[in-house]
Amino acid sequence: MTFSSRFLLTLWVASVALANAVPHSGSTFAGSTSTAVFPPPNATDTSVATYFPGPEEVGHAGPTPTGDEPWVLQTAPVAPQKNDVYPLINPVDAQPPVTTPAFDPSRSWGTLTPWFSVGDVFGLSNTSATVPSGCELTQVHLLHRHGARYPTSGSGPSAFATKLHAAANSTGFTASGPLEFLNMWTYKLGAELLTPFGRQQLFDLGIAFRLKYGHLLNGLTDLPVFRTTSEARMVDSALHFAAGFFGVQQYQDSYHQLITIEDDGFNNTLAPWSSCNNALNEVSNIGYEAAGNWTEIYLNDTVARLQQYVEGVKLDTSDVQALQDLCAYETVALGYSAFCELFTEEEWKGYEYNLDLELWYSFGPGNPASAAQGIGYVQELVARLTQTPLTEFATNLNVTLDNNNITFPLNQPIYVDATHDTVISTILVALNFTTMAANGPLPIDHIPENQTYTGQHLVPFATHLEGQVLSCPAEDASTSDKQSFIRFILNDGVVPLTGISHCTENKDGLCALDDFVKGMQERIAEVDYQYDCFANYTVPWPDPIIDGRAPK
């Protein structure tokens, strides 16, 4: 039997129309968690290890002479800049035509943003990380965050996946339009560990640090001690940094890695919340409450807009915010996320501000226990700068480690400490970098103009604060003597130090080292650790705090 071409064409058109008329239903596995395990089970067979000797056993390495240490911040006319997220697919690059518009969603992910060079965002427009003319670097103090990670256990992304999977296996659901991909979507994220891109970030950061500060290794007489905490992503971050800084074959014999315990009952300046009661109770929750209020405002219309594409699952603002979280987390974990295309520029700006509110009121200038949590690191910094052993341990200092010149040496030209975003934010408060809090307190019902406190600039994934100690011409023009100065570079942006007592305005962000130390000693004295961390007080609302101190 044969059919005419006209009949076949009519049949095809009808089939397409029918297919388009019937919405795709969510599969029963939609929202389920998918995982992978590598190495495969039982694949680590040690009996074959003798077939794969290491480089020392094989030998024949060829010539291995080393060159001199790099010093790019001193020798180059400009400072290195970081602007790409390779090999991730930037959301703007996934949209045709492939051009970079003025707005980049990946720069609105707050603390989930991959770090980038921030330029003059902190207010000093006529300087850079390059060493000022006439100065010479003599020491550097690096404080960095871990790299990109999976979401926190039980947070919004996994909660949304659980909700979707429950609907798929009960009443069923149907997604269409821009959300049609949910019908076959599975949750592929782990929890809290570094992603492959996160490992790359720290490896690259180690390489960059060697290029910028490698010459300081010439001042070492013993192997340096670098510090991190015991959480898996913290150890991985520290090791990847070290591999980048020293080299893959060399790093294990090039330094000492101190791993401090991050858990309840242990004092730790790199994980200070466990020794500060008000970092663990309702005082610490005010940021989440402020952000929750803003979420209901900025996502109010978004819920209705996206709900029209989903039947069988009732969306709320928490769900929709989780979709924004998934955009960021899937991108840094899997390289690309379809969730990124769901939101407008205004919705991404709202998301960014939501994370800013969390940071400001729970871990930043607006929280009364922030300065206290960060002050232990400031004590350690002063001890290192002055080469003076610590004698007072009434804060979150660890007396066992900090009172030992092996685990807490005071004579290194390079110091490297790894910690979390929330810890760095408390340290920025303790250091009294007041320009970051210039437009606080932050309103919870709208985004203020000229926002100065932004998570993507302050504490993105792999954020790093570099304290540069320099020898420069003395401030007293009548002498030719050199004088020690200090300045701080956060993600390649120079930070003004005008909020610190005794430090004055300087176009390069410099403060005389002696004056900076005096200012920090005064800051240490004014922070009442016992009161801020343990007193039973109520945070006023609206919260007027902008210095991280509890009102008395």
Side-chain angles (χ1 to χ4, degrees):
M1 180 180 295
T2 60
F3 299 97
S4 67
S5 58
R6 175 175 295 182
F7 175 82
L8 292 174
L9 179 60
T10 302
L11 183 62
W12 178 79
V13 171
S15 300
V16 171
L18 181 62
N20 290 335
V22 178
H24 294 289
S25 297
S27 64
T28 55
F29 59 77
S32 62
T33 299
S34 58
T35 61
V37 177
F38 188 87
N42 304 317
T44 53
D45 184 359
T46 57
S47 65
V48 300
T50 55
Y51 290 90
F52 306 99
E56 292 184 358
E57 296 174 79
V58 173
H60 305 278
T64 59
T66 60
D68 201 358
E69 288 294 345
W71 200 1
V72 70
L73 290 182
Q74 189 83 42
T75 58
V78 294
Q81 297 290 296
K82 170 71 171 173
N83 292 304
D84 71 296
V85 291
Y86 181 85
L88 306 182
I89 304 301
N90 189 311
V92 300
D93 293 336
Q95 304 170 16
V98 183
T99 58
T100 303
F103 178 74
D104 181 351
S106 71
R107 299 284 175 91
S108 290
W109 294 344
T111 55
L112 306 183
T113 299
W115 91 270
F116 60 95
S117 296
V118 301
D120 61 359
V121 70
F122 303 122
L124 293 177
S125 57
N126 296 317
T127 189
S128 74
T130 302
V131 174
S133 177
C135 298
E136 181 178 348
L137 270 168
T138 59
Q139 190 179 61
V140 65
H141 301 256
L142 175 66
L143 179 69
H144 71 81
R145 185 190 179 190
H146 57 74
R149 61 168 174 82
Y150 291 121
T152 304
S153 302
S155 60
S158 61
F160 173 76
T162 299
K163 180 177 180 176
L164 189 71
H165 189 52
N169 284 271
S170 56
T171 58
F173 78 93
T174 299
S176 61
L179 292 179
E180 185 176 356
F181 70 92
L182 286 179
N183 293 317
M184 303 291 287
W185 174 77
T186 59
Y187 186 70
K188 299 179 178 66
L189 303 177
E192 309 190 35
L193 296 174
L194 287 189
T195 67
F197 174 69
R199 298 197 295 268
Q200 176 195 334
Q201 284 188 294
L202 267 297
F203 185 79
D204 289 350
L205 191 64
I207 293 172
F209 200 68
R210 184 66 174 261
L211 287 171
K212 293 193 287 186
Y213 300 105
H215 74 287
L216 293 175
L217 291 174
N218 295 329
L220 284 165
T221 58
D222 200 352
L223 296 184
V225 174
F226 295 172
R227 302 189 303 174
T228 190
T229 76
S230 58
E231 280 202 345
R233 68 178 179 271
M234 297 307 310
V235 175
D236 282 345
S237 292
L239 296 182
H240 279 87
F241 176 90
F245 185 72
F246 293 112
V248 172
Q249 292 192 60
Q250 295 81 21
Y251 80 95
Q252 294 187 42
D253 300 319
S254 298
Y255 80 121
H256 300 296
Q257 183 64 66
L258 179 65
I259 301 174
T260 61
I261 298 175
E262 180 176 339
D263 209 340
D264 295 342
F266 293 89
N267 276 23
N268 192 335
T269 58
L270 302 177
W273 50 81
S274 63
S275 53
C276 179
N277 285 0
N278 288 330
L280 301 170
N281 57 23
E282 63 276 3
V283 172
S284 68
N285 289 331
I286 57 177
Y288 300 103
E289 294 170 0
N293 183 85
W294 171 242
T295 300
E296 296 300 322
I297 296 172
Y298 91 90
L299 287 179
N300 182 55
D301 295 335
T302 313
V303 173
R305 178 172 66 80
L306 294 180
Q307 185 66 73
Q308 65 180 313
Y309 302 113
V310 183
E311 296 180 9
V313 177
K314 183 174 176 55
L315 299 177
D316 57 28
T317 53
S318 295
D319 297 325
V320 175
Q321 188 178 67
L323 303 187
Q324 292 185 293
D325 291 339
L326 281 162
C327 162
Y329 279 119
E330 284 194 343
T331 299
V332 299
L334 308 174
Y336 168 75
S337 175
F339 290 101
C340 297
E341 301 170 20
L342 300 178
F343 300 98
T344 67
E345 178 177 336
E346 290 306 309
E347 288 162 346
W348 279 122
K349 290 179 178 178
Y351 178 76
E352 170 194 321
Y353 191 60
N354 177 276
L355 296 177
D356 293 342
L357 286 170
E358 285 186 12
L359 199 64
W360 174 279
Y361 286 111
S362 281
F363 311 101
N367 188 276
S370 287
Q373 291 178 69
I375 206 65
Y377 177 84
V378 175
Q379 291 176 277
E380 293 175 332
L381 176 63
V382 170
R384 288 167 167 175
L385 290 171
T386 60
Q387 297 190 19
T388 303
L390 290 159
T391 57
E392 298 291 334
F393 297 92
T395 62
N396 46 35
L397 294 171
N398 187 302
V399 64
T400 302
L401 299 176
D402 286 341
N403 199 31
N404 186 321
N405 62 5
I406 295 176
T407 51
F408 190 71
L410 298 172
N411 60 347
Q412 296 183 180
I414 295 178
Y415 293 94
V416 179
D417 294 319
T419 185
H420 302 273
D421 55 336
T422 55
V423 180
I424 294 176
S425 63
T426 65
I427 290 171
L428 296 177
V429 175
L431 286 167
N432 224 20
F433 291 167
T434 56
T435 56
M436 297 174 181
N439 71 334
L442 299 187
I444 63 172
D445 58 357
H446 68 278
I447 303 174
E449 294 185 8
N450 304 316
Q451 163 73 318
T452 60
Y453 192 82
T454 46
Q456 72 270 27
H457 297 129
L458 301 178
V459 285
F461 283 135
T463 192
H464 45 287
L465 178 69
E466 302 165 20
Q468 296 180 338
V469 180
L470 308 105
S471 176
C472 305
E475 292 179 309
D476 183 356
S478 64
T479 178
S480 60
D481 292 342
K482 290 280 189 172
Q483 183 178 356
S484 291
F485 291 82
I486 191 170
R487 69 173 184 165
F488 288 86
I489 318 291
L490 181 58
N491 299 324
D492 294 339
V494 182
V495 180
L497 302 183
T498 49
I500 299 171
S501 179
H502 306 289
C503 292
T504 58
E505 188 172 337
N506 181 281
K507 70 178 183 64
D508 292 310
L510 294 170
C511 179
L513 183 60
D514 289 343
D515 290 338
F516 175 81
V517 168
K518 290 177 186 176
M520 288 300 99
Q521 289 170 336
E522 291 177 12
R523 180 64 166 163
I524 292 167
E526 76 180 21
V527 172
D528 189 338
Y529 184 85
Q530 291 301 314
Y531 182 84
D532 292 357
C533 275
F534 298 99
N536 182 16
Y537 51 77
T538 300
V539 181
W541 195 259
D543 176 0
I545 300 169
I546 59 172
D547 64 351
R549 293 292 325 284
K552 293 184 180 179

